[in-house]
Structures are given as structure tokens and as C-alpha cells.
Amino acid sequence: MKSIRKIAVAMSGGVDSAVSALILKKRGYDVMGVYMANWNMYDEQGHCSGEQDYLDAEKAASLIGIPLRRVSFEKEYWTQVFSQLLDGYENGITPNPDILCNKHIKFGALFDYAINTLKVDWLATGHYAKLQYSRNGVRLMKAKDLNKDQTFFLSQVREEALRKTLFPVGDILKSDVKKLAEKSGLIHFAEKKESFGICFIGNRKFKDFISEYISTPPGVMVDIDTGRRVCRHKGIHLWTLGQCIHQPSQSSAYYVCDINPASNIIYVAAGRNHPSLDCHQIFCAKPHWISGRHQKLMETHQVLVCDVRTRHRANFTKCNIMFFGDKGKLVVDLAEPISGLVAPGQYAVFYDGNECLGSAMIVGKDKYEPRKQFQNNEICHSL
């Protein structure tokens, strides 16, 4: 760490990145801030708070006493994140834009820009995660504040980038980050409302936003057990596996258990505890391992025993991971079923204790077989 002199901090206008820059400045490093403009907020008629976030980042940089550079990755974001999001929803899968953004933009385009153009030694961000460095590589570890841990979203980041990355707030509780901001004159940032969800959507409902870009044909929702039509839907892009369907005429709620893009049919199950929502086995695309040691293990066709989670904040589940096929795909056998939280396009993220090993995109799960033929009965409602 003694060789580090110049550090670029990705500043978002929030308290975490502001305090990260503050910590590094106090430690005596040559710090500069970088604000990423990934979305053209002017096209969205003010829905995205990007311009205000930039002004906040500018204010934070001024208070801390560091320069701030604004850089646009709109083209990269559109092609590597947003286009993949649209393609996924059009084909009935549910992408994770946060994981894609970290992989391709923050620790892809921004990292390369910081190292190669700004000529800094390292990149720092306000993520809640920790890194352990050694001659053999780097390990991605859970943050001290497990409630804020963001390793799930960093699970596709390449090791080469993590080798030159710092997470200054990874060893600090969120409450202490805000206290440090208040003590250092960054009161505005300590009090600023924390942003959640996808930045380019802003305050709009997701269904309204995505419908501006995608128009899949309407279809029907079918009871997976009886084969009877439950209602119409306005497009498969508006639904994901495990999603609840509120039907005023039904005594119990339905849940999406399968989506068939070819027939445009969404299969639904009555009740949250329906067996079609349970997953005992997950099929994944080629995995990304943060450390090469796990790749070597899998290449020898050994079984990797670890924990897995398929959504941020979901419970961890014990599993056995094995390669299948000739393209490096994975089959993940679960020690106990996961209910309603396994959707194609999302990611299975693997852990060994506090270490995040990497992740793989989910392409499918074990099927619930008893499905009767679709019956063309009367429609109840249109959703």
C-alpha cells in the first residue's frame, strides 16, 4: 500500500463516496474525484436526478478540497448495460443492471479511464465491501456492516480491477459513516436521502418506464395445475418469476412460476407455498470466479461446496457446484429448496464464509412437471 500515491474516487453525490474521498485525503493521498454520467437525463425530462447528483458531488469535492472530473460513459452504458436489460425483458428473463454496471462501467470503463487516462495508481469507490490482498491475488470479502454489504453486486468484477481498487468504508458501519460526515462538515450528505433502485428510472414505476422501450404482445396467464386461463397480461416484459399477481376475484393470490416467450404464456401458481415456486437445482451459464484458484478447481471436475444466494439480502443456502456440458456451464445442487427467488437473467452468487467467490448468470432451474394443457376459458381480468 506504500506505493500508492494518486487515487481517483468514483463520486456519486452520496455520503459513502464523499466519506471515502475524505478518508483517503486525511491519510495523505493525492486524491481526485470522478463523477460518471451514464444516462442522458435531458432525454428523460428531469426524471433522473443525475444533474443534482453531479452538483452534490461537486459540492463534496469542494468541501473536501479535491478536484472533480466529470466523464460520460453514456454510450458504454447503453450498449453494455441498458441494451442487455431490454433484450432480457423482451425474452422473458430478468437481468440485474447493478451487477452489469459494476462489471462493465464502474470497474470496466471507469477503471480503465482512471488508470490509463488519469494516470492514477488506484481507483476507490464507496461500496460496502472489503478486499484482502496477497501475492496470490485478491479476495472479495463481506463488509463490516453486513446489513449494507454489497459484495453481491461486485461478484462479476474482474480480479485485475480489484487488485487496484480500494473500498474505504468497507470496515465502517453505515451509522459511523454518517457520523464522520457530520463531524467533517459534510452534513448535507449525512442527511441526504439514500437512493435505491435503478438510477435511470427515477421516481417512476418500473412498468411505466420499461414500456417506453419495449412492447411485447399481450398474452394470457394460465394456472399451472388446472391449465385454465386466469387472466390476460399486457406483456411478458412486465413480469418475473415469483412475482405476486393480485386478482380481486380470486380467494388466494397467484405467483408467476414460469414464462414461455415462444407461446407468450405466463404460468402462475395459487399460493406462495406452491411447489412450482421451489427450486432444488439451478442451471447457470459460465461462471466468473474472482480468484483463479476456483476456476482451476472446477476445471478438474471437482465439486465445490459453498453457500449461494440468488437475490441481494436473500438467505444463504448450502450448495454443491459442478460443471456440466462442454461450455463451462454450472449445475448448482441446493441443500434445501429456494422458494420464488430464482429467475433466469439474475445471478447465483457464491460465498465461502465471508468471502465472495464469484457468480454465474442463472439460465434455468428444475421444472415443475404436472402441467395440464392450456384451456381457452373465459378471461377474468387484464393485468
Side-chain angles (χ1 to χ4, degrees), residues 261-290:
S263 63
N264 211 33
I265 293 176
I266 296 177
Y267 291 95
V268 297
R272 184 186 296 273
N273 298 319
H274 193 279
S276 65
L277 300 172
D278 290 343
C279 175
H280 301 83
Q281 198 173 60
I282 306 172
F283 302 105
C284 297
K286 185 177 180 179
H288 166 75
W289 301 111
I290 291 170

mmCIF file of all heavy atoms in Angstrom, residues 261-290:
data_model
loop_
_atom_site.group_PDB
_atom_site.id
_atom_site.type_symbol
_atom_site.label_atom_id
_atom_site.label_comp_id
_atom_site.label_asym_id
_atom_site.label_seq_id
_atom_site.Cartn_x
_atom_site.Cartn_y
_atom_site.Cartn_z
ATOM 1 N N PRO A 261 -41.670 -17.461 -23.508
ATOM 2 C CA PRO A 261 -41.650 -16.400 -24.517
ATOM 3 C C PRO A 261 -42.187 -16.857 -25.875
ATOM 4 O O PRO A 261 -42.783 -16.057 -26.606
ATOM 5 C CB PRO A 261 -40.166 -16.029 -24.618
ATOM 6 C CG PRO A 261 -39.555 -16.525 -23.350
ATOM 7 C CD PRO A 261 -40.324 -17.751 -22.993
ATOM 8 N N ALA A 262 -41.988 -18.119 -26.231
ATOM 9 C CA ALA A 262 -42.425 -18.614 -27.535
ATOM 10 C C ALA A 262 -43.938 -18.580 -27.685
ATOM 11 O O ALA A 262 -44.475 -18.182 -28.722
ATOM 12 C CB ALA A 262 -41.905 -20.038 -27.750
ATOM 13 N N SER A 263 -44.641 -18.999 -26.638
ATOM 14 C CA SER A 263 -46.109 -19.017 -26.682
ATOM 15 C C SER A 263 -46.716 -17.769 -26.064
ATOM 16 O O SER A 263 -47.918 -17.547 -26.161
ATOM 17 C CB SER A 263 -46.641 -20.254 -25.951
ATOM 18 O OG SER A 263 -46.292 -20.202 -24.575
ATOM 19 N N ASN A 264 -45.875 -16.945 -25.401
ATOM 20 C CA ASN A 264 -46.325 -15.740 -24.721
ATOM 21 C C ASN A 264 -47.270 -16.059 -23.550
ATOM 22 O O ASN A 264 -48.084 -15.236 -23.157
ATOM 23 C CB ASN A 264 -47.011 -14.778 -25.697
ATOM 24 C CG ASN A 264 -46.830 -13.333 -25.298
ATOM 25 O OD1 ASN A 264 -45.789 -12.969 -24.743
ATOM 26 N ND2 ASN A 264 -47.836 -12.514 -25.546
ATOM 27 N N ILE A 265 -47.129 -17.253 -22.997
ATOM 28 C CA ILE A 265 -47.945 -17.663 -21.850
ATOM 29 C C ILE A 265 -47.136 -17.508 -20.569
ATOM 30 O O ILE A 265 -45.965 -17.889 -20.502
ATOM 31 C CB ILE A 265 -48.412 -19.129 -21.984
ATOM 32 C CG1 ILE A 265 -49.387 -19.276 -23.154
ATOM 33 C CG2 ILE A 265 -49.075 -19.617 -20.700
ATOM 34 C CD1 ILE A 265 -49.811 -20.715 -23.413
ATOM 35 N N ILE A 266 -47.764 -16.937 -19.564
ATOM 36 C CA ILE A 266 -47.183 -16.867 -18.217
ATOM 37 C C ILE A 266 -47.927 -17.863 -17.343
ATOM 38 O O ILE A 266 -49.148 -17.771 -17.190
ATOM 39 C CB ILE A 266 -47.294 -15.449 -17.627
ATOM 40 C CG1 ILE A 266 -46.477 -14.455 -18.459
ATOM 41 C CG2 ILE A 266 -46.831 -15.430 -16.172
ATOM 42 C CD1 ILE A 266 -46.589 -13.014 -17.992
ATOM 43 N N TYR A 267 -47.208 -18.829 -16.803
ATOM 44 C CA TYR A 267 -47.827 -19.816 -15.922
ATOM 45 C C TYR A 267 -47.768 -19.316 -14.484
ATOM 46 O O TYR A 267 -46.734 -18.797 -14.037
ATOM 47 C CB TYR A 267 -47.123 -21.168 -16.048
ATOM 48 C CG TYR A 267 -47.372 -21.823 -17.380
ATOM 49 C CD1 TYR A 267 -46.474 -21.674 -18.435
ATOM 50 C CD2 TYR A 267 -48.518 -22.572 -17.594
ATOM 51 C CE1 TYR A 267 -46.710 -22.263 -19.665
ATOM 52 C CE2 TYR A 267 -48.766 -23.169 -18.826
ATOM 53 C CZ TYR A 267 -47.866 -23.006 -19.851
ATOM 54 O OH TYR A 267 -48.110 -23.594 -21.073
ATOM 55 N N VAL A 268 -48.885 -19.478 -13.792
ATOM 56 C CA VAL A 268 -48.993 -18.968 -12.427
ATOM 57 C C VAL A 268 -49.439 -20.093 -11.496
ATOM 58 O O VAL A 268 -50.080 -21.059 -11.905
ATOM 59 C CB VAL A 268 -49.974 -17.786 -12.351
ATOM 60 C CG1 VAL A 268 -49.466 -16.617 -13.187
ATOM 61 C CG2 VAL A 268 -51.376 -18.199 -12.792
ATOM 62 N N ALA A 269 -49.095 -19.940 -10.223
ATOM 63 C CA ALA A 269 -49.430 -20.935 -9.211
ATOM 64 C C ALA A 269 -50.212 -20.281 -8.087
ATOM 65 O O ALA A 269 -49.946 -19.128 -7.711
ATOM 66 C CB ALA A 269 -48.154 -21.569 -8.665
ATOM 67 N N ALA A 270 -51.184 -21.011 -7.560
ATOM 68 C CA ALA A 270 -52.018 -20.485 -6.483
ATOM 69 C C ALA A 270 -51.303 -20.653 -5.145
ATOM 70 O O ALA A 270 -50.993 -21.767 -4.736
ATOM 71 C CB ALA A 270 -53.361 -21.214 -6.450
ATOM 72 N N GLY A 271 -51.005 -19.530 -4.491
ATOM 73 C CA GLY A 271 -50.412 -19.568 -3.160
ATOM 74 C C GLY A 271 -48.901 -19.449 -3.168
ATOM 75 O O GLY A 271 -48.212 -19.956 -4.058
ATOM 76 N N ARG A 272 -48.385 -18.789 -2.150
ATOM 77 C CA ARG A 272 -46.944 -18.538 -2.041
ATOM 78 C C ARG A 272 -46.139 -19.831 -1.840
ATOM 79 O O ARG A 272 -44.965 -19.918 -2.193
ATOM 80 C CB ARG A 272 -46.685 -17.586 -0.863
ATOM 81 C CG ARG A 272 -45.234 -17.165 -0.694
ATOM 82 C CD ARG A 272 -45.056 -16.360 0.574
ATOM 83 N NE ARG A 272 -45.805 -15.123 0.511
ATOM 84 C CZ ARG A 272 -45.334 -13.992 -0.018
ATOM 85 N NH1 ARG A 272 -44.115 -13.979 -0.551
ATOM 86 N NH2 ARG A 272 -46.061 -12.895 -0.023
ATOM 87 N N ASN A 273 -46.769 -20.841 -1.251
ATOM 88 C CA ASN A 273 -46.053 -22.078 -0.925
ATOM 89 C C ASN A 273 -46.230 -23.179 -1.974
ATOM 90 O O ASN A 273 -45.983 -24.347 -1.689
ATOM 91 C CB ASN A 273 -46.509 -22.594 0.449
ATOM 92 C CG ASN A 273 -46.205 -21.610 1.558
ATOM 93 O OD1 ASN A 273 -45.132 -21.006 1.571
ATOM 94 N ND2 ASN A 273 -47.133 -21.441 2.486
ATOM 95 N N HIS A 274 -46.664 -22.829 -3.154
ATOM 96 C CA HIS A 274 -46.862 -23.824 -4.201
ATOM 97 C C HIS A 274 -45.518 -24.458 -4.585
ATOM 98 O O HIS A 274 -44.504 -23.753 -4.711
ATOM 99 C CB HIS A 274 -47.501 -23.181 -5.428
ATOM 100 C CG HIS A 274 -48.029 -24.156 -6.422
ATOM 101 N ND1 HIS A 274 -47.206 -24.779 -7.337
ATOM 102 C CD2 HIS A 274 -49.284 -24.633 -6.649
ATOM 103 C CE1 HIS A 274 -47.922 -25.587 -8.089
ATOM 104 N NE2 HIS A 274 -49.199 -25.522 -7.699
ATOM 105 N N PRO A 275 -45.463 -25.781 -4.784
ATOM 106 C CA PRO A 275 -44.189 -26.451 -5.096
ATOM 107 C C PRO A 275 -43.530 -25.989 -6.390
ATOM 108 O O PRO A 275 -42.316 -26.155 -6.548
ATOM 109 C CB PRO A 275 -44.580 -27.934 -5.170
ATOM 110 C CG PRO A 275 -46.063 -27.954 -5.337
ATOM 111 C CD PRO A 275 -46.571 -26.747 -4.627
ATOM 112 N N SER A 276 -44.275 -25.421 -7.316
ATOM 113 C CA SER A 276 -43.672 -24.945 -8.566
ATOM 114 C C SER A 276 -42.748 -23.757 -8.334
ATOM 115 O O SER A 276 -41.917 -23.430 -9.195
ATOM 116 C CB SER A 276 -44.760 -24.551 -9.569
ATOM 117 O OG SER A 276 -45.499 -23.447 -9.092
ATOM 118 N N LEU A 277 -42.887 -23.094 -7.184
ATOM 119 C CA LEU A 277 -42.040 -21.956 -6.863
ATOM 120 C C LEU A 277 -40.724 -22.389 -6.225
ATOM 121 O O LEU A 277 -39.792 -21.595 -6.099
ATOM 122 C CB LEU A 277 -42.778 -20.988 -5.931
ATOM 123 C CG LEU A 277 -44.076 -20.390 -6.492
ATOM 124 C CD1 LEU A 277 -44.801 -19.605 -5.415
ATOM 125 C CD2 LEU A 277 -43.774 -19.504 -7.695
ATOM 126 N N ASP A 278 -40.664 -23.648 -5.780
ATOM 127 C CA ASP A 278 -39.453 -24.156 -5.143
ATOM 128 C C ASP A 278 -38.400 -24.517 -6.181
ATOM 129 O O ASP A 278 -38.713 -25.034 -7.249
ATOM 130 C CB ASP A 278 -39.762 -25.390 -4.297
ATOM 131 C CG ASP A 278 -40.574 -25.060 -3.049
ATOM 132 O OD1 ASP A 278 -40.608 -23.866 -2.676
ATOM 133 O OD2 ASP A 278 -41.169 -25.978 -2.464
ATOM 134 N N CYS A 279 -37.156 -24.253 -5.839
ATOM 135 C CA CYS A 279 -36.039 -24.599 -6.706
ATOM 136 C C CYS A 279 -35.073 -25.489 -5.932
ATOM 137 O O CYS A 279 -34.597 -25.109 -4.859
ATOM 138 C CB CYS A 279 -35.326 -23.339 -7.186
ATOM 139 S SG CYS A 279 -33.831 -23.658 -8.147
ATOM 140 N N HIS A 280 -34.789 -26.668 -6.481
ATOM 141 C CA HIS A 280 -33.840 -27.590 -5.866
ATOM 142 C C HIS A 280 -32.510 -27.616 -6.610
ATOM 143 O O HIS A 280 -31.499 -28.016 -6.047
ATOM 144 C CB HIS A 280 -34.422 -29.009 -5.830
ATOM 145 C CG HIS A 280 -35.709 -29.118 -5.077
ATOM 146 N ND1 HIS A 280 -36.934 -28.810 -5.648
ATOM 147 C CD2 HIS A 280 -35.968 -29.488 -3.797
ATOM 148 C CE1 HIS A 280 -37.883 -29.000 -4.751
ATOM 149 N NE2 HIS A 280 -37.337 -29.403 -3.626
ATOM 150 N N GLN A 281 -32.535 -27.177 -7.854
ATOM 151 C CA GLN A 281 -31.345 -27.228 -8.698
ATOM 152 C C GLN A 281 -31.346 -26.016 -9.633
ATOM 153 O O GLN A 281 -32.349 -25.717 -10.270
ATOM 154 C CB GLN A 281 -31.343 -28.530 -9.504
ATOM 155 C CG GLN A 281 -30.010 -28.924 -10.080
ATOM 156 C CD GLN A 281 -30.074 -30.306 -10.705
ATOM 157 O OE1 GLN A 281 -30.838 -30.558 -11.629
ATOM 158 N NE2 GLN A 281 -29.254 -31.230 -10.206
ATOM 159 N N ILE A 282 -30.207 -25.329 -9.700
ATOM 160 C CA ILE A 282 -30.063 -24.143 -10.538
ATOM 161 C C ILE A 282 -29.081 -24.443 -11.660
ATOM 162 O O ILE A 282 -28.021 -25.027 -11.429
ATOM 163 C CB ILE A 282 -29.549 -22.934 -9.726
ATOM 164 C CG1 ILE A 282 -30.434 -22.673 -8.507
ATOM 165 C CG2 ILE A 282 -29.491 -21.689 -10.598
ATOM 166 C CD1 ILE A 282 -29.872 -21.617 -7.577
ATOM 167 N N PHE A 283 -29.425 -24.033 -12.885
ATOM 168 C CA PHE A 283 -28.528 -24.168 -14.024
ATOM 169 C C PHE A 283 -27.993 -22.780 -14.383
ATOM 170 O O PHE A 283 -28.767 -21.825 -14.510
ATOM 171 C CB PHE A 283 -29.249 -24.796 -15.208
ATOM 172 C CG PHE A 283 -29.831 -26.146 -14.891
ATOM 173 C CD1 PHE A 283 -31.191 -26.304 -14.694
ATOM 174 C CD2 PHE A 283 -29.008 -27.262 -14.759
ATOM 175 C CE1 PHE A 283 -31.741 -27.538 -14.385
ATOM 176 C CE2 PHE A 283 -29.536 -28.501 -14.454
ATOM 177 C CZ PHE A 283 -30.902 -28.653 -14.270
ATOM 178 N N CYS A 284 -26.680 -22.685 -14.515
ATOM 179 C CA CYS A 284 -26.046 -21.385 -14.725
ATOM 180 C C CYS A 284 -25.148 -21.389 -15.959
ATOM 181 O O CYS A 284 -24.632 -22.440 -16.376
ATOM 182 C CB CYS A 284 -25.192 -21.007 -13.511
ATOM 183 S SG CYS A 284 -26.105 -20.807 -11.965
ATOM 184 N N ALA A 285 -24.957 -20.197 -16.513
ATOM 185 C CA ALA A 285 -24.006 -20.014 -17.609
ATOM 186 C C ALA A 285 -22.589 -20.083 -17.053
ATOM 187 O O ALA A 285 -22.384 -20.275 -15.851
ATOM 188 C CB ALA A 285 -24.270 -18.676 -18.291
ATOM 189 N N LYS A 286 -21.623 -19.912 -17.914
ATOM 190 C CA LYS A 286 -20.225 -19.970 -17.497
ATOM 191 C C LYS A 286 -19.970 -18.990 -16.363
ATOM 192 O O LYS A 286 -20.322 -17.810 -16.472
ATOM 193 C CB LYS A 286 -19.311 -19.652 -18.681
ATOM 194 C CG LYS A 286 -17.830 -19.799 -18.376
ATOM 195 C CD LYS A 286 -16.985 -19.541 -19.607
ATOM 196 C CE LYS A 286 -15.499 -19.697 -19.283
ATOM 197 N NZ LYS A 286 -14.650 -19.469 -20.479
ATOM 198 N N PRO A 287 -19.369 -19.428 -15.271
ATOM 199 C CA PRO A 287 -19.201 -18.562 -14.095
ATOM 200 C C PRO A 287 -18.033 -17.602 -14.222
ATOM 201 O O PRO A 287 -17.114 -17.809 -15.029
ATOM 202 C CB PRO A 287 -18.944 -19.566 -12.971
ATOM 203 C CG PRO A 287 -18.227 -20.686 -13.650
ATOM 204 C CD PRO A 287 -18.860 -20.798 -15.019
ATOM 205 N N HIS A 288 -18.075 -16.568 -13.412
ATOM 206 C CA HIS A 288 -16.932 -15.672 -13.243
ATOM 207 C C HIS A 288 -16.394 -15.896 -11.837
ATOM 208 O O HIS A 288 -17.098 -15.653 -10.852
ATOM 209 C CB HIS A 288 -17.351 -14.212 -13.407
ATOM 210 C CG HIS A 288 -16.305 -13.242 -12.928
ATOM 211 N ND1 HIS A 288 -15.156 -12.983 -13.652
ATOM 212 C CD2 HIS A 288 -16.204 -12.505 -11.788
ATOM 213 C CE1 HIS A 288 -14.421 -12.116 -12.988
ATOM 214 N NE2 HIS A 288 -15.029 -11.808 -11.855
ATOM 215 N N TRP A 289 -15.166 -16.375 -11.739
ATOM 216 C CA TRP A 289 -14.517 -16.569 -10.441
ATOM 217 C C TRP A 289 -13.555 -15.411 -10.204
ATOM 218 O O TRP A 289 -12.733 -15.091 -11.061
ATOM 219 C CB TRP A 289 -13.751 -17.889 -10.392
ATOM 220 C CG TRP A 289 -14.606 -19.096 -10.637
ATOM 221 C CD1 TRP A 289 -14.583 -19.915 -11.731
ATOM 222 C CD2 TRP A 289 -15.628 -19.609 -9.782
ATOM 223 N NE1 TRP A 289 -15.519 -20.906 -11.607
ATOM 224 C CE2 TRP A 289 -16.183 -20.755 -10.420
ATOM 225 C CE3 TRP A 289 -16.143 -19.234 -8.534
ATOM 226 C CZ2 TRP A 289 -17.207 -21.509 -9.859
ATOM 227 C CZ3 TRP A 289 -17.168 -19.980 -7.975
ATOM 228 C CH2 TRP A 289 -17.685 -21.111 -8.627
ATOM 229 N N ILE A 290 -13.673 -14.793 -9.045
ATOM 230 C CA ILE A 290 -12.806 -13.657 -8.743
ATOM 231 C C ILE A 290 -11.358 -14.117 -8.627
ATOM 232 O O ILE A 290 -10.440 -13.427 -9.047
ATOM 233 C CB ILE A 290 -13.286 -12.958 -7.458
ATOM 234 C CG1 ILE A 290 -14.633 -12.282 -7.742
ATOM 235 C CG2 ILE A 290 -12.267 -11.942 -6.956
ATOM 236 C CD1 ILE A 290 -15.348 -11.752 -6.544
#
